[in-house]
């Protein structure tokens, strides 16, 4: 019998204790001798220098461990909003996830965003309420907050116990047992706990939560319901069966609690992962596997994080392929690959995110393509990850040394392929614009460009990437371009799309009989023209182009098409025809009440509009809408005002007409 495989991701809001939990899981499974602390820069999963410096996860780390004869691959994902694409990529490779909720703050913006992503991706989710080692934080209040905010009923399966204000044990509901720390710090069963003082109270608490679990599980298992109605005991194995069905529903979520920092609640959580997560799916025939992540190792080059779709020994691997285990930043060679398992892959060709590689090692299809039963490629409408992210900043970058131009261009191309939320725009003046989601992502990319690729570049100050929208219909405009015997001409008009649509559409019915390369060339040229914009402050979005006429001579090359179309758009759309729209961020912030006035005043000075204010007498909470251009460097400013006590997060709210 083959060893079961489970692939899981760990998600959370920034600073909820996600990486600390990952370290504790590895320690509990015996993969590391002692858990590293994020604060000390010693976390196994945060291996990048930028992660150690900032104390946050930037790149999804991968590790493996065994637990109760089940093989686990788990991915520690970033919690910072700038690296949301990392989370999206991780979710394409997993069947289950642990969503960490901090008892200190409850459900926060990224917690909610992560939960929605998990639901949309149909990834089975288990909650872990963390930071309960602080007796001031309430488990009950956190559970209520989860139910109210996430809209699901948490079914609690572990309960922390305290002695003199300090966490001392965990009660496991399913096994009706008590877990304590051994001398090595590992969680072990407390065999003699029922003879201790207070055991009766703990036993009553276990019964309370066991009965609650039975009540919830009875909605999904008729046998459990029958026993419950007759007031007969429900055996743990039967309850487990009902809870498995419950875990697959949208109304409930299995929930564990504890403290990652103190190492309580870890054993129960990991055991739950082997119980409640689904098996790996059945994959298509003739598929070697799928690329789910791209990485770059200095001295090794590019590798692909790869999910195998087949069992295959080394002797049967396609020529030129090598597979290894990836543990943080270490590559460990293997002699076979197993279906559903995750490996690092070195291939003889350049891969792309989402590509399926076939058993012959040659056939590939894109992220948005599938094959039918006959093996033919069939395009589908599934959007790529990059379409979910709008870059908000643009930064001009140029080479320090002219002779490095080609190397820098190649390196930027690799980074853009590794991160679908990062885009590069080449300028004819010999420099590039880097389009990023936020400042942290930009800083990390520039650091990696130097450290991993050895590129010396000069970067300007980041600027807000605005959006340009047409105010009215324009055109038609005509343009003719000729080089030697080759001539082409175009007549084109444009109109704004309704609402907040930001895509570019092309209407050119008369070109249905044109060669595909001509039609693709026109489409590509128009997309490139709109990416630059008219005013140079951001892309022109929400436009429908109508090509009334396009004539060309045989042998026209793509650069000629691009030039003809670009000049036509320049003639068609003038600065007076567009309106600038600026990005507005929703800022969520909490700080001690004694700093509330200073923090609120600073937000209002940045043209921010405070829309929600709450507090519990100790902590001040607020939400505000703030223009992105006014909130550059906010981390430094709010840290100074609040003396380092404020916590905040931001997300894009939308775009509004600019007033400057």
């Amino acid at each position: 019998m083959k060893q079961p495989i489970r692939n899981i991701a760990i998600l959370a809001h920034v600073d909820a204790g996600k990486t600390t939990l990952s370290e504790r899981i590895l320690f509990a499974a015996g993969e590391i001798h002692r858990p590293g602390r994020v604060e000390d820069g010693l976390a196994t999963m945060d291996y990048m220098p930028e992660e150690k410096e900032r104390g946050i996860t930037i790149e999804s780390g991968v590790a493996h461990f065994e637990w109760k004869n089940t093989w686990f691959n788990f991915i520690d994902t970033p919690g910072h909003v700038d690296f949301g694409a990392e989370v999206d990529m991780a979710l394409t490779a997993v069947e289950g996830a642990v969503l960490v909720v901090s008892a200190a703050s409850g459900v926060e913006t990224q917690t909610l965003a992560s939960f929605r992503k998990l639901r949309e991706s149909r990834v089975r989710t288990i909650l872990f309420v963390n930071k309960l080692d602080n007796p001031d934080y309430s488990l009950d209040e956190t559970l209520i907050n989860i139910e109210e905010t996430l809209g699901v009923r948490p079914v609690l399966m572990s309960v922390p116990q305290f002695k003199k204000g300090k966490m001392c044990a965990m009660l496991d509901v399913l096994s009706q047992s008590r877990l304590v720390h051994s001398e090595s710090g590992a969680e072990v069963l407390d065999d003699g706990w029922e003879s201790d003082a207070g055991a009766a109270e703990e036993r009553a608490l276990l019964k309370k939560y066991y009965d609650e679990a039975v009540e919830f599980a009875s909605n999904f298992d008729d046998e459990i319901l029958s026993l419950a109605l007759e007031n007969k005991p429900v055996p743990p194995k039967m309850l487990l069966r009902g809870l498995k069905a419950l875990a697959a529903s949208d109304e409930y979520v299995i929930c564990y609690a504890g403290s990652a920092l103190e190492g309580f609640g870890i054993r129960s959580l990991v055991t739950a992962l082997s119980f409640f997560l689904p098996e790996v799916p059945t994959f298509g025939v003739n598929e070697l596997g799928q690329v789910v992540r791209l990485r770059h190792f200095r001295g090794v080059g590019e590798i692909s994080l790869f999910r195998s779709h087949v069992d295959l020994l080394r002797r049967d691997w396609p020529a030129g392929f090598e597979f290894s285990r990836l543990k943080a930043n270490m590559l460990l060679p293997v002699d076979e690959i197993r279906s559903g398992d995750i490996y690092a892959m070195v291939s003889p060709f350049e891969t792309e995110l989402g590509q399926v590689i076939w058993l012959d090692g040659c056939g590939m299809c894109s992220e948005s393509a599938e094959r039918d039963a006959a093996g033919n490629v069939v395009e589908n409408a599934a959007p790529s990850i990059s379409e979910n992210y709008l870059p908000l900043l643009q930064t001009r970058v140029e080479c320090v040394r002219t002779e490095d131009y080609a190397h820098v261009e190649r390196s930027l191309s690799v980074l853009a392929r590794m991160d679908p939320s990062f885009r590069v725009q080449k300028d004819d003046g010999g420099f590039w614009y880097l389009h990023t989601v936020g400042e942290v992502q930009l800083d990390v990319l520039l650091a990696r460009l130097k450290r991993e690729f050895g590129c010396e570049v000069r970067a300007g100050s980041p600027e807000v990437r605005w959006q340009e929208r047409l105010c009215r219909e324009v055109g038609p405009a005509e343009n003719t371009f000729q080089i030697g015997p080759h001539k082409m001409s175009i007549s084109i008009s444009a109109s704004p799309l309704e609402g907040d649509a930001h895509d570019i559409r092309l209407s050119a019915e008369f070109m249905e009989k044109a060669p595909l390369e001509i039609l693709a060339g026109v489409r590509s040229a128009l997309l490139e023209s709109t990416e630059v914009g008219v005013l140079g402050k951001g892309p022109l979005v929400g436009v429908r182009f109508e090509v009334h006429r396009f004539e060309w001579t045989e042998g026209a090359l793509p650069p000629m098409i691009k030039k003809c179309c670009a000049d036509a758009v320049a003639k068609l759309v003038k600065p007076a025809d567009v309106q600038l729209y600026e990005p507005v961020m929703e800022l969520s912030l909490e700080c001690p009440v004694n700093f509330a006035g200073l923090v609120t005043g600073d937000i209002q000075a940045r043209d921010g509009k405070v829309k929600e204010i709450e507090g519990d007498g100790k902590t001040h909470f607020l939400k505000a809408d703030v223009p992105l251009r006014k909130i550059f460097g906010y981390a430094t400013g709010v840290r100074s005002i609040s003396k380092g006590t404020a916590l905040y997060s931001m997300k894009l709210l939308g775009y509004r007409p600019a007033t400057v």
Side-chain angles (χ1 to χ4, degrees):
M1 181 179 176
K2 291 199 304 183
Q3 185 182 34
I5 295 173
R6 297 291 184 270
N7 299 307
I8 61 172
I10 300 185
L11 294 78
H13 188 88
V14 174
D15 214 27
K18 169 178 49 61
T19 299
T20 304
L21 178 61
S22 300
E23 294 291 310
R24 280 292 179 176
I25 289 175
L26 290 178
F27 175 67
E31 285 293 310
I32 57 177
H33 296 300
R34 67 184 183 90
R37 290 174 60 92
V38 176
E39 296 83 357
D40 300 331
L42 298 175
T44 305
M45 304 296 284
D46 286 350
Y47 58 88
M48 292 174 60
E50 294 78 22
E51 292 176 316
K52 295 178 183 294
E53 177 185 342
R54 295 174 182 269
I56 62 172
T57 300
I58 292 171
E59 189 170 69
S60 295
V62 181
H64 321 276
F65 65 90
E66 287 185 84
W67 188 268
K68 294 189 179 297
N69 196 39
T70 299
W71 178 260
F72 286 93
N73 299 298
F74 86 100
I75 305 175
D76 177 20
T77 65
H80 197 286
V81 67
D82 281 14
F83 306 102
E86 286 279 343
V87 179
D88 291 348
M89 289 188 290
L91 295 187
T92 65
V94 301
E95 293 77 48
V98 177
L99 180 59
V100 184
V101 179
S102 169
S105 308
V107 175
E108 300 175 89
T109 53
Q110 282 303 107
T111 319
L112 182 57
S114 296
F115 186 73
R116 287 173 176 168
K117 286 181 180 181
L118 290 166
R119 281 294 192 252
E120 290 169 3
S121 304
R122 307 304 301 171
V123 174
R124 188 79 55 82
T125 306
I126 294 176
L127 297 185
F128 183 77
V129 179
N130 193 26
K131 300 192 177 183
L132 288 169
D133 51 296
N134 188 327
D136 292 335
Y137 302 152
S138 170
L139 174 59
D140 290 338
E141 289 181 6
T142 306
L143 294 175
I144 292 171
N145 177 241
I146 288 170
E147 186 168 1
E148 291 177 345
T149 310
L150 300 185
V152 290
R153 181 68 181 267
V155 181
L156 188 65
M157 299 303 295
S158 64
V159 188
Q161 294 296 288
F162 297 87
K163 186 176 182 180
K164 296 181 179 179
K166 187 175 182 181
M167 189 178 291
C168 61
M170 291 297 302
L171 300 180
D172 186 90
V173 175
L174 187 61
S175 65
Q176 295 282 282
S177 60
R178 187 177 192 263
L179 299 170
V180 294
H181 276 176
S182 67
E183 291 183 0
S184 65
E187 283 185 289
V188 295
L189 288 173
D190 185 2
D191 294 328
W193 71 282
E194 293 192 39
S195 61
D196 294 345
E201 183 179 340
E202 291 178 343
R203 175 62 69 183
L205 192 61
L206 277 172
K207 185 179 185 306
K208 170 192 170 185
Y209 286 107
Y210 193 93
D211 290 345
E212 280 188 4
V214 167
E215 179 185 347
F216 297 140
S218 67
N219 295 316
F220 301 89
D221 191 297
D222 290 342
E223 192 173 358
I224 294 176
L225 177 60
S226 177
L227 290 176
L229 291 174
E230 296 174 6
N231 288 322
K232 293 182 179 179
V234 175
K237 285 188 177 180
M238 187 183 297
L239 175 59
L240 177 60
R241 185 183 68 202
L243 289 175
K244 285 181 178 180
L246 176 147
S249 72
D250 292 331
E251 296 82 22
Y252 297 88
V253 63
I254 300 293
C255 182
Y256 284 78
S259 167
L261 186 63
E262 297 297 329
F264 281 106
I266 311 303
R267 177 168 169 168
S268 297
L269 173 65
V270 180
T271 301
L273 295 175
S274 61
F275 285 158
F276 298 118
L277 299 189
E279 298 179 356
V280 294
T282 301
F283 301 105
V285 295
N286 298 323
E287 293 179 357
L288 182 66
Q290 185 174 26
V291 176
V292 297
R293 183 76 177 83
L294 297 176
R295 293 270 297 273
H296 185 273
F297 280 70
R298 193 165 189 175
V300 177
E302 185 175 305
I303 67 165
S304 305
L305 198 60
F306 172 87
R307 190 181 196 191
S308 175
H309 290 183
V310 68
D311 297 332
L312 216 58
L313 296 174
R314 172 181 285 274
R315 65 172 180 265
D316 299 320
W317 295 352
F321 283 77
E322 284 293 328
F323 298 95
S324 305
R325 288 285 182 204
L326 180 61
K327 186 175 181 179
N329 63 337
M330 296 184 291
L331 295 174
L332 309 174
V334 298
D335 292 321
E336 66 174 323
I337 57 175
R338 298 175 55 209
S339 179
D341 214 341
I342 295 176
Y343 301 91
M345 178 184 75
V346 177
S347 63
F349 48 76
E350 195 175 78
T351 61
E352 297 290 340
L353 281 171
Q355 282 183 324
V356 173
I357 300 179
W358 309 97
L359 278 174
D360 57 14
C362 299
M364 293 178 290
C365 66
S366 68
E367 179 182 9
S368 58
E370 296 176 348
R371 285 201 179 192
D372 58 20
N376 300 313
V377 175
V378 181
E379 292 293 329
N380 61 45
S384 65
I385 292 175
S386 61
E387 294 176 18
N388 295 328
Y389 292 88
L390 292 175
L392 300 178
L393 302 181
Q394 60 183 24
T395 307
R396 175 173 161 162
V397 169
E398 60 185 5
C399 294
V400 172
R401 297 183 297 270
T402 307
E403 59 269 24
D404 291 341
Y405 182 88
H407 176 55
V408 173
E409 186 168 49
R410 285 194 301 270
S411 301
L412 286 172
S413 176
V414 172
L415 284 172
R417 289 174 50 247
M418 291 168 60
D419 184 350
S421 67
F422 165 56
R423 294 156 204 178
V424 181
Q425 176 189 326
K426 182 180 177 180
D427 191 274
D428 294 336
F431 53 87
W432 304 268
Y433 283 106
L434 309 187
H435 299 162
T436 57
V437 174
E439 291 177 274
V440 176
Q441 184 190 26
L442 172 64
D443 292 344
V444 170
L445 285 167
L446 292 175
R448 295 185 68 178
L449 194 62
K450 181 176 182 179
R451 173 174 50 81
E452 295 181 19
F453 298 89
C455 295
E456 294 288 343
V457 298
R458 186 181 297 110
S461 299
E463 299 176 347
V464 172
R465 187 165 164 78
W466 307 62
Q467 284 187 350
E468 301 177 2
R469 289 184 177 271
L470 281 178
C471 303
R472 61 187 73 87
E473 293 186 15
V474 291
E478 297 190 359
N479 185 58
T480 301
F481 180 75
Q482 182 173 1
I483 295 181
H486 299 297
K487 180 180 179 180
M488 57 187 63
S489 61
I490 187 172
S491 174
I492 189 172
S493 61
S495 58
L497 297 177
E498 295 181 359
D500 295 329
H502 62 268
D503 55 324
I504 305 298
R505 302 177 190 176
L506 174 61
S507 175
E509 294 180 4
F510 79 97
M511 294 182 66
E512 289 181 356
K513 297 181 180 180
L516 289 178
E517 60 270 20
I518 295 294
L519 184 57
V522 172
R523 185 186 301 275
S524 175
L526 292 176
L527 287 174
E528 286 189 30
S529 297
T530 57
E531 187 67 21
V532 176
V534 179
L535 303 176
K537 289 183 174 292
L540 178 65
V541 301
V543 180
R544 176 184 285 105
F545 287 106
E546 183 172 359
V547 179
H548 305 285
R549 177 178 55 82
F550 188 77
E551 299 172 350
W552 69 94
T553 57
E554 198 69 30
L557 300 175
M560 297 176 60
I561 299 175
K562 177 181 176 181
K563 176 65 175 172
C564 182
C565 292
D567 290 349
V569 172
K571 289 181 178 180
L572 176 68
V573 186
K574 301 298 182 183
D577 297 323
V578 298
Q579 164 75 53
L580 275 177
Y581 284 71
E582 67 174 334
V584 178
M585 310 301 289
E586 182 182 74
L587 172 70
S588 299
L589 181 143
E590 62 180 81
C591 67
V593 291
N594 51 312
F595 294 110
L598 292 173
V599 168
T600 303
D602 178 65
I603 290 173
Q604 292 172 336
R606 297 172 183 267
D607 293 344
K609 180 181 178 182
V610 178
K611 57 184 183 181
E612 290 183 28
I613 295 179
E614 295 179 4
D616 58 8
K618 294 181 180 179
T619 307
H620 178 72
F621 304 92
L622 66 81
K623 284 188 178 181
D625 298 343
V626 190
L628 179 59
R629 62 186 168 84
K630 289 284 191 175
I631 209 160
F632 274 115
Y634 186 65
T636 302
V638 75
R639 188 183 303 119
S640 174
I641 292 172
S642 67
K643 297 184 179 179
T645 59
L647 298 173
Y648 76 93
S649 62
M650 287 188 290
K651 67 177 182 180
L652 178 64
L653 188 66
Y655 288 80
R656 71 182 183 192
T659 57
V660 294

